[in-house]
Amino acid sequence: MKVLVAVKRVVDFNVKVRVKADHSGVDLANVKMAMNPFCEIAVEEAVRLKEQGIAAEVVVVSIGSSAAQEQLRTALALGADRAILVEADEDLGSLAVAKLLKAVVDKEQPQLVILGKQSIDSDNNQTGQMLAALSGYGQGTFASKVAIDGDCVTVTREIDGGAQTVALKLPAIVTTDLRLNEPRYASLPNIMKAKKKPLEVLTPSALGVSCAGTVQTLKVEAPAARSAGIKVKSVAELVEKLKNEAKVI
């Protein structure tokens, strides 16, 4: 079985994001970049399937600038077999990314596609669902457990107030949640081996996909600064403030 994993290059989650002075976007100058944490979970799950003998090949794909090769090499060091970069410098929306991934899926014909449920920069939580709709595959989103038996994949997904288990016929799309697994660290020998693993570079035009944007960013602003909290001496005082000052009860 071939597993395709989509990964995204994002600002490292430890970095405090700064907005550009002209409010046109986020300042990425001299900012540490990393693989999206949910994508790390997706790569880890694919590698575990390979270690269990279920998957024969793990292919990672990223869509973005040439700098995304760094994150693809990281995924290769974690255990993926080969990588594909769809080089596009534009700020692509979820639909354009889903269309490009659909073209890669058509080219590679994987039995299972794993994505992080969302990226920590845009937080849209759309690409996996759009890819499933475009490809006609079944989807199991917010996966906290994945089990494969023959041509069926069982996904335990997190929902409000509990968990839901769904069974999907392969090929299928799975998006990962935080509790699915804990990603490993790449060892130095595997980092060195990853430099020799194949990395194919494609373009949207080569895949026959138009990346024309349908959404335009008008303005980006930092969240408003929160005022300092206060301490109260009793429950009665707390209730009084909530009722008369905050006016939430």
Side-chain angles (χ1 to χ4, degrees):
M1 182 176 78
K2 181 190 291 186
V3 180
L4 181 72
V5 184
V7 301
K8 185 178 182 182
R9 176 182 170 89
V10 299
V11 176
D12 189 277
F13 71 93
N14 290 309
V15 173
K16 184 177 181 180
V17 176
R18 301 187 305 273
V19 176
K20 292 181 180 178
D22 60 359
H23 297 280
S24 62
V26 173
D27 186 5
L28 299 180
N30 301 316
V31 172
K32 182 183 178 183
M33 307 296 285
M35 189 190 304
N36 179 50
F38 289 102
C39 298
E40 289 183 340
I41 294 171
V43 172
E44 175 66 24
E45 191 64 21
V47 172
R48 291 188 183 188
L49 290 174
K50 183 183 175 184
E51 291 173 343
Q52 294 167 16
I54 297 173
E57 183 182 27
V58 176
V59 183
V60 288
V61 57
S62 187
I63 297 168
S65 66
S66 59
Q69 292 189 30
E70 177 186 355
Q71 280 64 50
L72 288 174
R73 292 294 180 192
T74 299
L76 292 173
L78 291 173
D81 298 296
R82 58 188 177 91
I84 299 171
L85 172 63
V86 181
E87 198 164 337
D89 292 326
E90 308 99 299
D91 185 14
L92 301 180
S94 299
L95 181 58
V97 171
K99 288 179 177 178
L100 290 168
L101 290 176
K102 166 65 165 55
V104 175
V105 167
D106 290 343
K107 178 177 179 291
E108 293 291 331
Q109 293 294 307
Q111 285 70 54
L112 181 64
V113 184
I114 309 179
L115 308 89
K117 72 170 185 177
Q118 65 194 71
S119 59
I120 61 172
D121 51 2
S122 59
D123 270 336
N124 287 332
N125 181 20
Q126 296 174 329
T127 305
Q129 292 89 328
M130 287 179 172
L131 176 59
L134 291 172
S135 61
Y137 292 175
Q139 58 177 308
T141 56
F142 316 137
S144 60
K145 184 179 179 181
V146 175
I148 295 178
D149 184 13
D151 64 346
C152 179
V153 54
T154 302
V155 178
T156 301
R157 56 190 304 268
E158 298 188 358
I159 59 174
D160 291 341
Q164 178 188 57
T165 301
V166 296
L168 311 170
K169 284 288 186 182
L170 295 174
I173 310 288
V174 173
T175 69
T176 61
D177 213 332
L178 285 173
R179 278 160 286 280
L180 179 58
N181 60 51
E182 184 175 343
R184 70 192 70 189
Y185 291 99
S187 64
L188 182 57
N190 286 338
I191 292 173
M192 301 305 292
K193 291 177 184 177
K195 295 180 180 180
K196 297 181 180 179
K197 290 184 178 181
L199 193 158
E200 182 182 6
V201 179
L202 302 173
T203 61
S205 59
L207 294 171
V209 178
S210 172
C211 294
T214 56
V215 177
Q216 180 183 2
T217 300
L218 300 179
K219 190 177 184 181
V220 177
E221 292 184 342
R226 295 178 61 180
S227 56
I230 60 172
K231 292 183 178 181
V232 295
K233 296 181 179 179
S234 65
V235 174
E237 184 182 355
L238 173 62
V239 172
E240 189 273 332
K241 289 186 177 295
L242 291 173
K243 184 176 181 179
N244 298 320
E245 294 184 17
K247 299 186 184 301
V248 294
I249 60 174

